[in-house]
Amino acid sequence: MADPGLAFTLVDAESFASIPAPARPGARCQTCDYWERLDGRREASQSESAADLKLSRLLAGTRLAGAYGMLAWQADASGDQVAVGWAQFGPISAYPRAQVIRERYPSLPDSPAPWVVICLQVVAETPYREKVAGSLLGAVCDELDRRGIIAVEAYPEGVADAWSLSPGPASVYQAAGFTLAAGEERYPVYRRELEGASADVGWSDLLSHTPPPDEGDDWPLPLPKGPSEEDLFRLPPKPTRPNPFGDD
């Protein structure tokens, strides 16, 4: 259950600029592509094209069910709503670095392909920071359950300053019902099974929800470029680039 005073919204073009700065010095969520590319970077970029690309990635799932990011809002001292938390998620096919981590553990189930939470950050000055993060993570899981997602994974490493890495502290995931499915502190995989049965959005119904104005023999295909409903429930091909984490 969400804490009183917190509100959660999926990111859109208007709220994109409100994503709060992460704990890691010099990083910027609006341009970070660390998880989207094996050679990605967390460091801030002021490039307008980098921000545009990030926004397009976050909104890539909008046609199917919704954006791949969620903001947590709280009233400040003057009563204005400000963003205090940010979570990014999506199908594992969207995040090659998550695929690499997962490939370390062949015992993990291949089906259904999990969605992953790759960023969970709450502003350091926020009272009850971990509790707010837990509420945000719970809201993300509720949203994914609504979409019919069955399994969610995350990869929070055990480091001294857990907020310095984008997934945030493992303790937040544990409190939200995630369990350690594989690995240890260095490359852990935390997993939570969802019901999926309460889905407002059934993947088999998605196309019929938004038929094109000119239905014909080609309907419901072709789909626009981007994720398809099948992509969301199967593991992608193994990344072909070298493992950035090494072989140990």
Side-chain angles (χ1 to χ4, degrees), residues 103-190:
E103 286 298 331
R104 299 176 68 92
Y105 308 111
S107 62
L108 288 170
D110 288 338
S111 180
W115 277 41
V116 295
V117 178
I118 55 94
C119 185
L120 182 68
Q121 292 286 304
V122 172
V123 174
E125 295 76 19
T126 305
Y128 307 105
R129 188 183 191 184
E130 286 207 9
K131 188 174 182 180
V132 170
S135 295
L136 174 56
L137 182 58
V140 168
C141 289
D142 288 346
E143 171 64 19
L144 297 186
D145 187 62
R146 183 192 71 82
R147 299 185 192 186
I149 304 305
I150 304 298
V152 188
E153 291 180 357
Y155 314 104
E157 294 188 45
V159 295
D161 181 5
W163 289 107
S164 67
L165 300 182
S166 51
S171 57
V172 174
Y173 295 88
Q174 293 168 337
F178 285 70
T179 58
L180 182 63
E184 298 178 353
E185 286 192 354
R186 189 173 183 194
Y187 303 123
V189 177
Y190 282 83

Side-chain angles (χ1 to χ4, degrees), residues 18-243:
S18 297
I19 298 173
R24 187 184 183 91
R28 184 184 181 217
C29 293
Q30 284 91 341
T31 55
C32 173
D33 61 359
Y34 179 79
W35 291 90
E36 289 92 339
R37 298 171 54 91
L38 293 183
D39 60 352
R41 302 169 61 86
R42 292 188 174 103
E43 287 75 12
S45 169
Q46 300 306 317
S47 166
E48 189 171 324
S49 61
D52 289 344
L53 177 58
K54 180 72 172 191
L55 177 60
S56 70
R57 286 170 171 164
L58 291 172
L59 301 184
T62 302
R63 185 188 181 286
L64 289 177
Y68 294 159
M70 182 178 287
L71 288 152
W73 303 84
Q74 197 171 54
D76 63 11
S78 62
D80 296 326
Q81 290 289 315
V82 296
V84 297
W86 165 247
Q88 184 178 342
F89 49 87
I92 195 170
S93 57
Y95 302 112
R97 195 175 291 269
Q99 298 170 39
V100 169
I101 294 175
R102 205 174 191 279
E103 286 298 331
R104 299 176 68 92
Y105 308 111
S107 62
L108 288 170
D110 288 338
S111 180
W115 277 41
V116 295
V117 178
I118 55 94
C119 185
L120 182 68
Q121 292 286 304
V122 172
V123 174
E125 295 76 19
T126 305
Y128 307 105
R129 188 183 191 184
E130 286 207 9
K131 188 174 182 180
V132 170
S135 295
L136 174 56
L137 182 58
V140 168
C141 289
D142 288 346
E143 171 64 19
L144 297 186
D145 187 62
R146 183 192 71 82
R147 299 185 192 186
I149 304 305
I150 304 298
V152 188
E153 291 180 357
Y155 314 104
E157 294 188 45
V159 295
D161 181 5
W163 289 107
S164 67
L165 300 182
S166 51
S171 57
V172 174
Y173 295 88
Q174 293 168 337
F178 285 70
T179 58
L180 182 63
E184 298 178 353
E185 286 192 354
R186 189 173 183 194
Y187 303 123
V189 177
Y190 282 83
R191 184 178 174 94
R192 175 177 167 181
E193 305 289 334
L194 303 178
E195 294 293 332
S198 62
D200 294 335
V201 181
W203 295 114
S204 61
D205 300 328
L206 281 172
L207 297 177
S208 61
H209 287 173
T210 54
D214 182 20
E215 289 191 27
D217 293 338
D218 289 338
W219 176 251
L221 297 175
L223 285 171
K225 292 182 180 180
S228 72
E229 53 180 324
E230 290 185 355
D231 290 334
L232 304 176
F233 288 96
R234 65 185 177 198
L235 289 176
K238 294 182 180 180
T240 56
R241 299 192 54 171
N243 185 340

